[in-house]
Amino acid sequence: MPDQTALKSLTQSIERLAPDFAALSDRIWDFAELKFDEFKSAELLVQTLKQHGFAVEQGIAGMETAFIGQYGGGNPVIAFLGEYDALAGMSQIAGIDEPREGKSGASGHGCGHNLLGAGSLLAAVSLAKHLEANGLQGTVRYYGCPGEEGGSGKTFMVRAGAFSDVDAALTWHPAPFNGVRSTNNLAVLEYYYRFKGIAAHASNAAHLGRSALDAVELMNVGVNFLREHMPQDCRVHYAITDAGGRAANVVQAKAEVLYLVRAPEMSQALALAERVDQVARGAAMMTGTEVEIIFDTAATNLLPNLTLENAIHENLVAIGPVPFDEADIDFARKIQATFTQEAINSSIKLYQIKQDVFSNEKIDGSTPLHTGLRAFEGQSHFRAGSTDVGDVSRVTPTAQCWAPAWAIGTNPHTWQVVAQGRSAAAHKAMLHAAKALASTGLDLATSPHLLSKARAEWEAAMKDEPYVCPIPATVMPGIRASVK
C-alpha cells in the first residue's frame, strides 16, 4: 500500500498547483490544434516545463511539436505521457448541453487531450519536486507526444529510440469512469489506395476511359465480402478521400480511399492488410487502372502490465473518490439527458464496469458522474480501439488509468466531450489523475521490488515476439510514402 505520509505531501502539492494547470488545460482547449500542428499547445507546455526547472529537448523524432522535459538524475527513469492534439470538425461551445459550434468547421478537443496533456504534466512536475525535496533519486520525464489522433506520434518517438532508457511509463485518459484501464486493444495500420485511370467523355467516348472511381467502389465491395472471412475481432473501415471530381459526365481519372485495418495483434493486422491489398489490386485489374498503396501510419496493440496497473489502483483507493459537488452533478445530468438509455448502458459495458470499490454496488448510471472507483479485476479485457501508447508499452512497462471527466454515457469523439472539456468536474478529474500517476511514480522511485516485478512481467510477455516498429523506416511523420 502507498506510504500515507508521502501520499499526503505529494497530493497537497498537486492541489496547490491545480489552478495553474486547470488554466493550462483550458488554453489548450482553446487552441484545439490538429495532429503535428500543435505549435501553440506544445510551446505552452514547453514553457511550463522550463518554468518548473525541467531541461527540455524539442523536435523529437523529426516532429516539431514533440518534446521531452527532464528533471532530476539517476535511476529509475519514469516517463509521463502527454497528448494535446484535437479533432477536425469538432468545434463546440463549452459548458452547454446542446450541440452548438463555436466556429463553423473548426476543430475541437473531442477526446479530452487538453486535460490529458496538462494532467500528466502536473503529475510529472509534482513528482520531480517531491523527489528533490526529500532527497530521493530518480529521473522524471514528461513526453510531449503529438498526433495521437491518426498520427501515431508515439510510434515515431519509439522508432527513434526516445524511450530506450525508460524504466516505466505512466499515462491516463479522460473517461466517464474512475479506475484503472487494463485493455487488450487493437493494432492498427492505415493505408491510402490511390487509383489512376484515364479520363474520357462519359457519354460519347466512355469506352476510352478507365474509371478510378469504379476501382474504388469495386475495392470497397470486395473488402465487404472479405469481412465474412476474417477473424471476428478484426475491424476494417474506410473513407473515400478523393472521389475524382464533381463532374458526372467525365470518367474519373483519379480516386483515393483510406483504409484502417485493425486486429488484436500486429502480425494479424499485417496479414489482413495484405489481403486488403490483394482486393485493391484486383479492383485495378478489373477496371484497367493502376493502384498505388501508400502507407500513412500505424500503432501496435497495447501490452498491459498488471503489476503497474495494480499499483495505480491501490493509489486510487488511497486517494478516495473525486470530490464532485452539486453543480458538477447538475451539469453532468444535463449532458446525460442528451443520451439514450442504450448509450448509457453501452458506456457502462464498454468500460467493463461491474462493481464500485467504495460503495460495493453495481454501477447503473443513475448518478450522472462516477463518484466512486471501478473495481480492478487483475486482468485485462478486450476493447476495440487503438492507441499509439501500445508502441510505448512494447519497449517499457506501461500503465494507464481513467478519470471521470465526462458524464456517464459520454462517448469519445463527440460534441459532449468538447462541451465538458473546460468544466469544473473535468478539472477535478484531471487533478485526480495527476495524483494517481504521481503517487505511482513515487512508488516506483522508492520501491525497487515494484519496478523489478513490473519489468519481469513485461519481459515474460515480450520474450516470444520481440517488438518491431510497424512504421517503415522510409516513412516520416505526417508524410505519406508509397510502400507496396
Side-chain angles (χ1 to χ4, degrees), residues 162-215:
F163 293 90
S164 60
D165 62 343
V166 170
D167 291 299
L170 302 172
T171 190
W172 74 289
H173 205 287
F177 296 100
N178 185 32
V180 170
R181 178 187 189 187
S182 183
T183 61
N184 295 305
N185 71 344
L186 298 177
V188 62
L189 295 160
E190 300 187 24
Y191 296 96
Y192 286 89
Y193 295 86
R194 183 175 297 163
F195 292 88
K196 181 180 179 181
I198 300 173
H201 193 291
S203 180
N204 64 24
H207 62 288
L208 300 178
R210 300 293 182 266
S211 174
L213 181 57
D214 284 355

Side-chain angles (χ1 to χ4, degrees), residues 199-206 246-252:
H201 193 291
S203 180
N204 64 24
R246 301 177 63 182
N249 61 343
V250 176
V251 175
Q252 290 87 349

Side-chain angles (χ1 to χ4, degrees), residues 340-424:
T340 64
Q341 188 59 48
E342 179 183 15
I344 295 170
N345 294 340
S346 176
S347 179
I348 294 170
K349 183 178 180 180
L350 175 66
Y351 289 88
Q352 295 285 305
I353 308 300
K354 298 177 180 178
Q355 192 175 23
D356 191 90
V357 170
F358 298 134
S359 67
N360 202 33
E361 295 178 355
K362 183 177 179 181
I363 300 169
D364 60 7
S366 57
T367 302
L369 277 175
H370 187 200
T371 56
L373 175 65
R374 176 191 185 277
F376 180 58
E377 308 93 334
Q379 63 183 31
S380 293
H381 60 271
F382 172 74
R383 192 175 185 216
S386 305
T387 173
D388 57 7
V389 176
D391 292 272
V392 178
S393 76
R394 296 286 163 168
V395 296
T396 192
T398 303
Q400 49 191 345
C401 64
W402 293 318
W406 311 330
I408 295 175
T410 305
N411 281 307
H413 298 198
T414 59
W415 69 263
Q416 289 95 337
V417 171
V418 190
Q420 296 172 87
R422 292 173 58 104
S423 69

Side-chain angles (χ1 to χ4, degrees), residues 62 111 130 154 166 186 205 221 241 276 281 309 316 368 386 389 404 411 438 456 470 472 475 481:
C111 210
H130 183 90
K154 296 183 195 66
V166 170
L186 298 177
V221 170
T241 51
V276 174
R281 295 186 184 108
E309 291 168 347
L316 286 168
S386 305
V389 176
N411 281 307
V475 175

